[in-house]
Amino acid sequence: MDLITVLLSFVVILFLAIAFKTQNQGKYKNFPPGPKPLPIIGNVFSLDMSKPHKTFMELSKTYGPVFSVQIGMAKTVVLCGYEAVKDALINHADSFSDRPYAPVTEKFAKNNGVVFSNGENWKVMRRFTISTLRDYGMGRKTIENKIIEEAECLVQKFKSYKGKPFNNLNSINAAVANIIVAILLSHRFDYEDPTILKLMAVVNENARLLGSPWIRLYNSFPLLMRWLPGAHRTVAGNRREFQDFIRATFTKYKKNLDVNDQRNLIDAFLAKQQEENEESTQYYHNDNLTVLVGDLFGAGIETTSATLRWGLLLMIKYPEIQKKVQNEIDKVIGTAQPLMEHKKKMPYVNAVIQEFQRFGDVLSKVTPRVASRDTTLKGYFIPKGTRIIPVLHSIHKDKEYFEKPHEFYPEHFLDSQGNFKMSETFIPFSTGKRSCPGENLVKMELFLFFTSILQNFTLKASPGAKLDLTPALGTTNSPRPFEICAISRN
């Protein structure tokens, strides 16, 4: 892209900014307060574009739980604290359930799938997703058995290292991926299979890049940056490669489809296509299937794997807590296979699992929303079209609800008698109409994988390693790569 084109793009943005300001100058009366923006670029230079939730936490101390920032030309309302987030996502769910337009995701989603779609398409795809996950996974003994079988494969993989240091990222990713693959494709990949390794690499790279400052800038200034090289091109290429794999897969499945013997989510979707009614024609098309499978595959791997790896890292960091976990496993399960029925008898393990979800803070902020109508929230006027960012980090790190918010402290979820206790302010899967549809599946995976690993191994750091609890950069707060030594307990 030459300099003249860049300058012309900049001029276009300038005129758009002036027009935008003129059209909306009377619309923001009683709008939430916030730092004064600069022309065109807004508050970009005052935000930590790598970890914006950190800046949001600081700004909330000055402007309160509902405040505004301007990123580029877009006014954005930020919500910090449980009451503000709950008010928006529960009490005003109909106003704040839509996704805003984002150039980098619009390139591949185009209002398809379930994560980035809106309107009736989102409603239809979410209903289908929840019902199909229920049919082929969540809450059924069949998927529990698959997780148990996969946990045993993971244990054997850990044993193969014979106590020597290894990076657990690929093994954990592959184990978690195989659960969602079982639901989507009725298939299981070996941990060294080049196909699953490539798919995981694509998902992991996009998860990292989509949280990068470059992508945030691209979404804010698409006219200026669309022709420049950068992370947005890598993300687009990765997504195309992934979608090509999905299309080839369901094309093959379509040839062998038996609507009376539906084996997985892709079969169920293809069977819907054959109904040939109005809903089938309008929503159950191949583009929707391609994006939906990608949504579920990505979401089914990244957050669950990151959360489980936080659990392992924290067990290494706090060996005394690891020992208490193992003592409860030995007492309740012994050498038998961990099952979901054991969960209700294990208050300490439950508390530890919820605490490493809270501490890890994998989803530090909810994927942005947009106001679908003019709304009043906490006394402020939120115009239709305003971006909304609910910050989960502000809830899970709030000393009002958690005694030691910046420490790993399982007692946050135990009462004075050592019984497990829930907290309404623990919402790692978000809340409201856009909450994670696979929540129950993830809970099963975390319990069965975590207890199986701790039943069989004592986890230690590799010799001389310094454990870093600072999250890596990305759309999720994943732990930085670390090696472990899995010492067999048998």
Side-chain angles (χ1 to χ4, degrees):
M1 185 178 185
D2 58 38
L3 181 60
I4 294 176
T5 307
V6 172
L7 291 173
L8 286 174
S9 298
F10 189 80
V11 170
V12 170
I13 290 176
L14 179 61
F15 279 109
L16 287 174
I18 294 170
F20 180 87
K21 184 176 181 180
T22 301
Q23 291 174 2
N24 292 279
Q25 60 186 1
K27 198 172 184 179
Y28 291 115
K29 293 178 180 177
N30 202 32
F31 194 72
K36 186 177 180 179
L38 294 171
I40 303 176
I41 62 173
N43 301 114
V44 166
F45 289 148
S46 60
L47 299 177
D48 181 346
M49 297 299 283
S50 297
K51 294 291 181 182
H53 62 277
K54 298 288 189 182
T55 309
F56 295 155
M57 291 288 286
E58 289 302 312
L59 290 173
S60 69
K61 295 176 182 177
T62 301
Y63 298 103
V66 181
F67 62 92
S68 64
V69 294
Q70 187 169 317
I71 304 174
M73 294 183 295
K75 285 281 191 178
T76 299
V77 171
V78 181
L79 309 176
C80 287
Y82 178 68
E83 291 302 323
V85 172
K86 177 185 175 183
D87 195 15
L89 302 189
I90 298 294
N91 301 336
H92 293 86
D94 290 336
S95 297
F96 301 122
S97 290
D98 282 355
R99 296 285 190 224
Y101 171 80
V104 74
T105 53
E106 182 63 21
K107 278 181 175 290
F108 60 78
K110 298 178 181 177
N111 203 43
N112 292 312
V114 71
V115 174
F116 299 106
S117 61
N118 288 320
E120 193 62 27
N121 188 82
W122 168 68
K123 293 177 182 177
V124 172
M125 288 299 99
R126 184 174 172 86
R127 281 198 304 268
F128 171 79
T129 299
I130 291 173
S131 64
T132 309
L133 285 177
R134 188 181 300 117
D135 290 342
Y136 295 102
M138 296 187 305
R140 294 170 66 97
K141 193 70 177 176
T142 51
I143 199 62
E144 180 181 351
N145 290 338
K146 287 189 181 298
I147 299 172
I148 289 169
E149 292 170 8
E150 196 61 48
E152 178 56 30
C153 292
L154 186 60
V155 166
Q156 293 305 316
K157 183 66 176 177
F158 276 28
K159 283 184 177 180
S160 72
Y161 293 101
K162 299 179 180 179
K164 296 179 180 179
F166 67 97
N167 188 321
N168 59 87
L169 176 61
N170 279 346
S171 299
I172 296 291
N173 271 353
V176 170
N178 273 333
I179 303 307
I180 194 65
V181 167
I183 295 171
L184 297 174
L185 309 175
S186 304
H187 185 71
R188 181 188 181 276
F189 289 102
D190 183 81
Y191 293 171
E192 308 303 326
D193 189 304
T195 300
I196 193 64
L197 290 175
K198 180 60 178 176
L199 293 178
M200 291 189 304
V202 165
V203 168
N204 290 339
E205 185 174 37
N206 273 8
R208 177 176 59 82
L209 292 178
L210 284 170
S212 68
W214 181 271
I215 292 295
R216 299 186 202 280
L217 289 171
Y218 174 78
N219 280 332
S220 300
F221 306 100
L223 290 177
L224 183 62
M225 305 181 70
R226 67 187 305 174
W227 303 111
L228 296 176
H232 59 295
R233 294 189 179 278
T234 305
V235 168
N238 284 342
R239 193 69 188 203
R240 279 195 300 272
E241 185 174 355
F242 190 83
Q243 290 184 341
D244 288 344
F245 167 80
I246 295 169
R247 289 190 190 97
T249 299
F250 72 64
T251 299
K252 179 176 64 177
Y253 275 53
K254 198 167 189 174
K255 294 177 181 178
N256 303 312
L257 177 66
D258 181 352
V259 294
N260 297 313
D261 183 24
Q262 299 171 28
R263 300 157 295 176
N264 49 52
L265 182 141
I266 289 181
D267 276 1
F269 194 102
L270 294 174
K272 284 281 190 181
Q273 281 187 346
Q274 296 195 2
E275 291 178 5
E276 296 184 348
N277 52 37
E278 184 178 351
E279 182 177 89
S280 170
T281 303
Q282 190 169 356
Y283 301 109
Y284 289 91
H285 49 77
N286 289 349
D287 288 343
N288 239 342
L289 176 56
T290 301
V291 178
L292 176 63
V293 171
D295 287 346
L296 296 178
F297 189 87
I301 295 177
E302 176 61 24
T303 55
T304 307
S305 173
T307 303
L308 185 56
R309 287 187 292 116
W310 271 118
L312 304 188
L313 178 60
L314 289 162
M315 291 304 95
I316 297 171
K317 181 73 172 178
Y318 301 101
E320 69 283 2
I321 295 178
Q322 180 178 184
K323 185 60 179 175
K324 288 182 181 179
V325 167
Q326 291 172 326
N327 288 342
E328 189 169 75
I329 290 173
D330 294 344
K331 178 182 177 182
V332 177
I333 303 176
T335 58
Q337 177 66 55
L339 304 171
M340 287 307 295
E341 65 187 48
H342 293 128
K343 192 172 186 286
K344 58 182 178 292
K345 303 174 185 176
M346 305 177 75
Y348 192 75
V349 168
N350 281 322
V352 167
I353 291 174
Q354 292 211 167
E355 179 63 359
F356 67 63
Q357 287 178 271
R358 184 203 69 82
F359 180 88
D361 192 31
V362 170
L363 294 177
S364 58
K365 59 180 177 54
V366 175
T367 303
R369 310 290 177 83
V370 65
S372 58
R373 64 187 74 168
D374 290 350
T375 306
T376 299
L377 181 71
K378 296 294 183 184
Y380 294 110
F381 175 65
I382 314 294
K384 178 181 178 180
T386 305
R387 284 169 57 93
I388 309 293
I389 298 181
V391 184
L392 296 187
H393 179 86
S394 68
I395 302 172
H396 293 149
K397 305 295 184 179
D398 190 335
K399 62 183 179 182
E400 181 179 345
Y401 304 114
F402 300 102
E403 182 182 348
K404 300 178 180 180
H406 299 289
E407 297 180 26
F408 181 67
Y409 187 62
E411 285 74 11
H412 285 142
F413 298 99
L414 295 169
D415 65 19
S416 57
Q417 283 75 47
N419 299 311
F420 177 70
K421 66 176 182 180
M422 286 294 297
S423 169
E424 67 174 358
T425 57
F426 174 72
I427 50 173
F429 303 96
S430 188
T431 188
K433 293 186 175 184
R434 287 270 186 173
S435 62
C436 174
E439 177 177 346
N440 290 334
L441 177 62
V442 174
K443 288 178 177 177
M444 291 175 68
E445 291 181 79
L446 291 178
F447 177 78
L448 293 172
F449 281 130
F450 183 69
T451 53
S452 294
I453 292 170
L454 271 295
Q455 179 189 51
N456 285 275
F457 305 101
T458 293
L459 306 179
K460 296 183 178 181
S462 58
K466 294 182 179 180
L467 298 179
D468 186 356
L469 298 184
T470 306
L473 297 180
T475 52
T476 59
N477 278 342
S478 300
R480 295 175 183 273
F482 64 99
E483 289 190 332
I484 64 174
C485 297
I487 312 300
S488 180
R489 300 182 68 214
N490 300 327

